[in-house]
Amino acid sequence: MSGLSLVLLTVLMVATGQMTQTLYVPAMGDMAEALQVSGQALPLVMGFYLVPYGLFQFIYGPLSDRHGRRPVLLAGLAIYVLGSVLILLVPVYSMLLLGSFVQGAGTAAAGSLCRSLMRDRFEGAELVRYNGYVSMGIMLAPLLAPLAGGWLNQHYGWQSMYGFLLGLGLVILLVMVVWFRETLPVERRHVQPMLPAYQHVLHHGGFRRQLGMLIATFAGLILYEAVFSVLAARHQLTSTQISLLFILPLPLYFGGAMLASCKASSWSVRRMQAWASLGLVSGALLVLAGSFSGQWALAGLVAGGGLYFAGAGLLFPVATSAAVSPFPQHSGTAGALLGGCANLGGGLFLLGQGALPQMNQPVLGGLLLACAGLVVWFLLPADEALPEPGV
C-alpha cells in the first residue's frame, strides 16, 4: 500500500468510532425524553463508550505487536457491529449503555492501531506529517456525524442513528477485509509478554510527558463534546441549530492538524506544542469569560471551543509522533498506551463530572482551563522523544 492509501484506510477504520462518539449529540434531549431518563443521564452514554474504548486498547496494542495488525483490526470491527445490533434489538436506556460499552470495546482496535500503522511505515518529520494527515481525515467524521444525527433523529427517530452506525460498521468491515494489507512484517514482530512490554515503553520519560499532554487535552475535548448540547439547549435552540453550532469548532481542529503537517520539517516539536498550548489556554479562558455575560455566553462557548479544538488539532499529531517514535518494535504497545489512557481518562472524567451538583458554562470553562494548565505543566521539561527537525 502507498502512504496515501494507508492514510485513507486508517481514516476509514477510525470513522465508525468517531461517528459513534458524536452522532447522537444533537438528539440528546429527544433521546432522554424517548428513553424516559433525565438529560443529565445522556452524557453517561459517551462515558460508557469511552471507558472500554480506552481499556481494550491496552489489549489490542500488544496483541497486534505479536500477531500483526490485520487480524486484530478485523476482530475489533466485528465486535463493534455486535454492539450496534444489541442497541437496535432492545431500544431501552440500559441496553443503550451496554451496547455503547460493546461498541467501544470493538472500535478500541482501530483507535489503538491508527497510531501504530503510521509508525510501521514512517519516522521523524515524515511521521509527524502523516499523523497530521490522519488527524485531518479523522475530523471529517465528527464534522458529518452531528449533521447526519440531527437529520436522522428529526425524520426517523433516535434508533435510526444506530441503524446507520450498524450499516457503516458492516461496510467498513467489508472494505478492510478486501483492501487492508498487513503493515507489520513477521520479522518485526516480537513475543515479549504484555507487562514487560508496557514497562519498557513507560520507562521512557519523554513518552510519559507526551502521554500526559494527550490525556489532559483529550479530557477537555471530550467534556466539551459531551456537555455542549446540554448547554446550547438552554438557549432555546433546535437540534438542527445545535448540530450546526457543534461542528463550527471542528474545522479549526482540521486547521491545527494541517499546520502540524505543513511545519513538521521546519518547526521543532517544542515550538509546535507551545503554540498548541496557547490555543488550549486561550480557548478555555474565552469559554469562561463568555459565561459571565449572558448575551455573549453562546458566542464564547462556540468561539472558545474553536480555539481549544485548534490547539488540540496541532497537539495530537505532534505528541503522538513524539511518543511512538522511539519504539519501532513496540509501536502497538505505545499506541495502545496513548489511546487507551487518553480515552479511559476521558471516559472516567465524564463519569466523574456526572457526579457534580451542576454542569454550566463557568464549570466547563474552569475544567477546560485546568486541562490546558496540565498541558503547559507537562511541556515544561526540555527533552523530547523526537529529534528537533528545525528551528
Side-chain angles (χ1 to χ4, degrees):
M1 292 184 294
S2 67
L4 180 58
S5 298
L6 182 60
V7 167
L8 292 174
L9 287 174
T10 301
V11 169
L12 187 61
M13 77 183 192
V14 180
T16 49
Q18 294 292 315
M19 296 201 80
T20 304
Q21 193 170 301
T22 59
L23 185 73
Y24 68 93
V25 167
M28 279 184 173
D30 294 335
M31 289 176 66
E33 183 177 348
L35 295 168
Q36 298 182 341
V37 296
S38 69
Q40 194 78 6
L42 263 296
L44 292 179
V45 175
M46 192 177 291
F48 268 75
Y49 173 79
L50 286 174
V51 168
Y53 186 75
L55 281 175
F56 279 80
Q57 289 191 42
F58 296 126
I59 299 173
Y60 290 129
L63 284 178
S64 72
D65 282 340
R66 176 175 294 194
H67 302 291
R69 316 300 188 200
R70 180 180 162 87
V72 171
L73 173 62
L74 297 182
L77 289 174
I79 294 171
Y80 172 84
V81 169
L82 174 62
S84 302
V85 170
L86 290 175
I87 294 173
L88 288 171
L89 286 178
V90 188
V92 297
Y93 181 69
S94 58
M95 188 56 72
L96 176 61
L97 295 179
L98 176 61
S100 297
F101 187 96
V102 176
Q103 285 180 323
T107 54
S112 172
L113 297 183
C114 73
R115 297 167 177 84
S116 309
L117 299 181
M118 296 300 107
R119 184 62 186 89
D120 290 343
R121 293 287 301 274
F122 308 108
E123 58 185 34
E126 196 173 37
L127 177 60
V128 177
R129 183 177 300 111
Y130 276 93
N131 271 328
Y133 295 154
V134 170
S135 292
M136 284 187 278
I138 287 174
M139 269 298 101
L140 293 177
L143 276 171
L144 298 174
L147 294 176
W151 185 85
L152 286 169
N153 175 66
Q154 185 174 347
H155 290 87
Y156 302 105
W158 73 268
Q159 294 176 58
S160 65
M161 296 185 293
Y162 287 91
F164 171 79
L165 290 175
L166 173 60
L168 179 66
L170 288 170
V171 169
I172 292 178
L173 177 58
L174 178 61
V175 169
M176 293 300 158
V177 168
V178 175
W179 280 291
F180 183 76
R181 298 292 177 264
E182 183 59 60
T183 61
L184 185 66
V186 175
E187 61 272 16
R188 286 178 52 193
R189 299 175 193 175
H190 68 85
V191 294
Q192 186 177 20
M194 192 175 295
L195 184 56
Y198 279 122
Q199 289 175 333
H200 171 73
V201 174
L202 284 170
H203 184 71
H204 196 287
F207 176 88
R208 294 195 300 270
R209 282 190 292 278
Q210 304 302 325
L211 175 62
M213 283 189 272
L214 287 169
I215 292 174
T217 303
F218 185 76
L221 204 66
I222 207 65
L223 175 66
Y224 181 90
E225 289 182 346
V227 305
F228 177 86
S229 178
V230 176
L231 297 181
R234 296 172 183 173
H235 295 273
Q236 307 301 315
L237 303 176
T238 67
S239 62
T240 301
Q241 291 171 325
I242 292 173
S243 64
L244 289 172
L245 289 176
F246 179 78
I247 67 171
L248 283 180
L250 298 181
L252 293 177
Y253 181 102
F254 187 92
M258 181 180 294
L259 181 63
S261 293
C262 294
K263 298 297 185 179
S265 57
S266 59
W267 282 14
S268 70
V269 169
R270 191 168 182 80
R271 182 177 180 182
M272 286 190 281
Q273 290 182 331
W275 278 105
S277 300
L278 180 61
L280 297 173
V281 172
S282 300
L285 288 173
L286 192 53
V287 171
L288 187 59
S291 67
F292 296 107
S293 175
Q295 60 179 339
W296 295 105
L298 186 60
L301 180 65
V302 175
L307 282 175
Y308 193 94
F309 272 64
L314 176 55
L315 180 74
F316 282 162
V318 177
T320 298
S321 302
V324 302
S325 183
F327 308 107
Q329 290 189 312
H330 293 78
S331 59
T333 302
L337 276 169
L338 294 177
C341 290
N343 287 282
L344 177 60
L348 293 175
F349 190 54
L350 281 184
L351 295 178
Q353 69 84 26
L356 294 174
Q358 64 176 337
M359 173 53 68
N360 52 33
Q361 193 165 330
V363 174
L364 173 62
L367 291 173
L368 289 178
L369 188 58
C371 292
L374 279 175
V375 173
V376 174
W377 184 73
F378 282 117
L379 183 60
L380 292 179
D383 55 319
E384 303 286 352
L386 273 179
E388 300 293 326
V391 296

